Amino acid sequence: MTETKQKRVLSGIQPSGEIHLGNYLGAVKGWVDRQAEKENFFCIVDLHSLTVPQEPEALRHQTRSLAAILFAAGLDPAKSTVFIQSHVRAHAESCWLLNCVTPLGWLQRMTQYKDKAGKQESVLMGLLDYPVLMAGDILLYDANEVPVGEDQKQHVELARDIGQRFNSIYGDFFVIPQPVIPEVGARVMGLDDPTVKMSKSYSHIRGHAVRLLDDAKELERSIKRAVTDSGNEIRFSEEPERAGVNNLLGIYKAITGKSVADCEADFSDARGYGDLKKRIAEVVIEELSPIRERYHTLMANPDDLDELLARGAEQARTLAEPKVAEMRRLMGLVLPK
Ligand code: AQP
């Protein structure tokens, strides 16, 4: 088993649509804020995106665009290895090898599979296998920690189960990872329906998501349209009918890093929900505008972006390739001379 002095972190994000504030607050912001403390691997999981139908040109654009967003948001190549999953072949290979130790029943009970499969006319094999590919992503790097939003916790737990099963059959080989869920921003809800999580798959639906690349006017418009309730009380609440206001306050809390009491105090003089939305929009615009500007600079220099991604993939391969070769050996495959 690989010894690491510093904790190793791995997380991924799919280029399956327009990245939104939920992805940013539930995942990317935390990766950026904590990248100095750990050894980091962040992966744009393009193979995962293929588990639901994609338009090839759009997928290619979204993948490069997502890479630019990650760097623009502050991932620093000196502190974090950022790469595209399909550039490191060991990910697909480890998925096959892990398929051969994973019982089918474990995959059929995954909540995300049931949700997504229920919405498809024809379910692809890859959708069922999604968590095994994700287990490979994590286990290949002997990651100790996997920072994810609440929605991905079940998949990290499955990666632990798969790693433990492999270890019990072939010996102590994989580090068993821990999911790390942020205290705030773990679950940002849709602005049009605060009972469902904000999701890339719905980010094209008007009023659903706060899209990271929208300009200030559009950001303000989306937040002003957010569903609230018929009251006027601005406080955090678990009550389902107050989910809209709770979601807006949660966004404010995640961006400012303030306590519940301080957030509520900040709105004690607000004149109703209109005022609440106006101030939330200001905070969101202030957070996202510099990211958008850096993003456009990066996209205007495609060679620099490709160079950063090539370096990331090369660093990732130095860990992933020997690890998958050892998996093959342990499982009884003949290694080429
Ligand atoms: N609404 C959310 N609130 C907080 N965190 C979220 N994440 C996703 N949605 C929210 C976190 O973002 C990271 C990357 O997500 P992903 O690309 O792996 O896909 P996902 O979890 O399936 O996210 P989406 O936006 O709903 O995408 P689609 O529609 O493509 O499935 C993860 O850490 C996730 O927890």
Side-chain angles (χ1 to χ4, degrees):
M1 197 173 297
T2 316
E3 285 296 330
T4 47
K5 285 195 203 82
Q6 223 179 2
K7 284 254 164 85
R8 187 174 292 157
V9 171
L10 181 133
S11 200
I13 183 161
Q14 294 186 78
S16 46
E18 277 193 67
I19 180 171
H20 53 72
L21 196 63
N23 301 130
Y24 177 69
L25 295 176
V28 178
K29 189 176 184 335
W31 301 351
V32 172
D33 291 348
R34 283 184 285 279
Q35 65 184 326
E37 299 160 20
K38 315 264 163 85
E39 184 189 0
N40 313 284
F41 290 83
F42 298 118
C43 184
I44 297 162
V45 290
D46 53 349
L47 297 174
H48 275 98
S49 290
L50 296 177
T51 59
V52 293
Q54 300 288 338
E55 207 282 296
E57 260 331 302
L59 179 60
R60 246 187 299 280
H61 169 73
Q62 282 158 202
T63 302
R64 305 189 83 257
S65 168
L66 181 54
I69 290 174
L70 296 184
F71 291 119
L75 286 184
D76 173 357
K79 296 184 187 132
S80 297
T81 300
V82 179
F83 64 103
I84 295 176
Q85 183 185 34
S86 63
H87 291 186
V88 182
R89 300 277 176 90
H91 288 253
E93 188 178 354
S94 65
C95 175
W96 178 257
L97 299 176
L98 293 174
N99 274 335
C100 300
V101 299
T102 305
L104 181 60
W106 288 7
L107 302 179
Q108 285 166 325
R109 67 176 160 76
M110 290 292 107
T111 311
Q112 192 181 78
Y113 169 71
K114 289 193 277 190
D115 277 0
K116 288 196 174 178
K119 292 176 193 142
Q120 313 278 321
E121 246 173 57
S122 151
V123 179
L124 301 175
M125 183 61 207
L127 188 64
L128 180 67
D129 210 21
Y130 178 114
V132 183
L133 180 59
M134 179 164 160
D137 300 339
I138 300 167
L139 296 171
L140 273 178
Y141 296 88
D142 283 328
N144 310 93
E145 294 180 2
V146 186
V148 282
E150 190 67 48
D151 61 318
Q152 288 292 338
K153 187 166 174 238
Q154 193 184 35
H155 287 164
V156 181
E157 279 160 1
L158 188 76
R160 288 172 57 83
D161 291 342
I162 295 174
Q164 273 158 352
R165 190 172 167 109
F166 188 99
N167 286 356
S168 73
I169 302 171
Y170 297 108
D172 199 16
F173 179 62
F174 288 126
V175 168
I176 303 303
Q178 290 289 345
V180 178
I181 315 292
E183 276 168 37
V184 284
R187 200 167 162 81
V188 177
M189 310 307 280
L191 296 185
D192 55 343
D193 179 356
T195 63
V196 300
K197 76 157 191 152
M198 192 176 283
S199 189
K200 276 191 242 92
S201 314
Y202 306 133
S203 57
H204 60 283
I205 296 173
R206 200 158 176 255
H208 171 74
V210 177
R211 291 176 304 215
L212 243 56
L213 294 176
D214 279 350
D215 62 22
K217 270 221 172 79
E218 188 53 41
L219 289 171
E220 191 178 2
R221 247 197 308 265
S222 314
I223 292 168
K224 279 195 173 156
R225 271 200 301 259
V227 168
T228 46
D229 54 75
S230 55
N232 59 6
E233 218 182 329
I234 301 178
R235 59 174 172 80
F236 287 92
S237 168
E238 294 296 316
E239 296 160 50
E241 60 276 16
R242 303 182 53 83
V245 170
N246 193 61
N247 190 35
L248 292 173
L249 283 172
I251 290 172
Y252 183 80
K253 185 170 187 290
I255 293 178
T256 60
K258 291 185 180 183
S259 67
V260 166
D262 286 349
C263 290
E264 289 179 350
D266 282 356
F267 293 100
S268 58
D269 62 342
R271 294 180 308 277
Y273 293 159
D275 211 13
L276 166 76
K277 289 176 181 176
K278 185 168 165 281
R279 295 200 212 166
I280 303 280
E282 283 165 9
V283 172
V284 170
I285 290 166
E286 197 182 319
E287 180 80 6
L288 300 186
S289 297
I291 298 177
R292 196 175 59 246
E293 278 164 32
R294 287 193 292 270
Y295 164 83
H296 287 300
T297 310
L298 276 157
M299 289 299 276
N301 294 284
D303 291 348
D304 295 354
L305 185 60
D306 287 341
E307 171 61 28
L308 287 172
L309 290 170
R311 249 194 287 152
E314 202 177 307
Q315 281 166 15
R317 273 186 226 112
T318 60
L319 270 83
E321 283 184 354
K323 192 76 182 175
V324 81
E326 188 57 11
M327 279 174 82
R328 277 192 252 148
R329 195 191 66 76
L330 287 169
M331 294 179 87
L333 305 184
V334 175
L335 297 185
K337 280 282 169 224

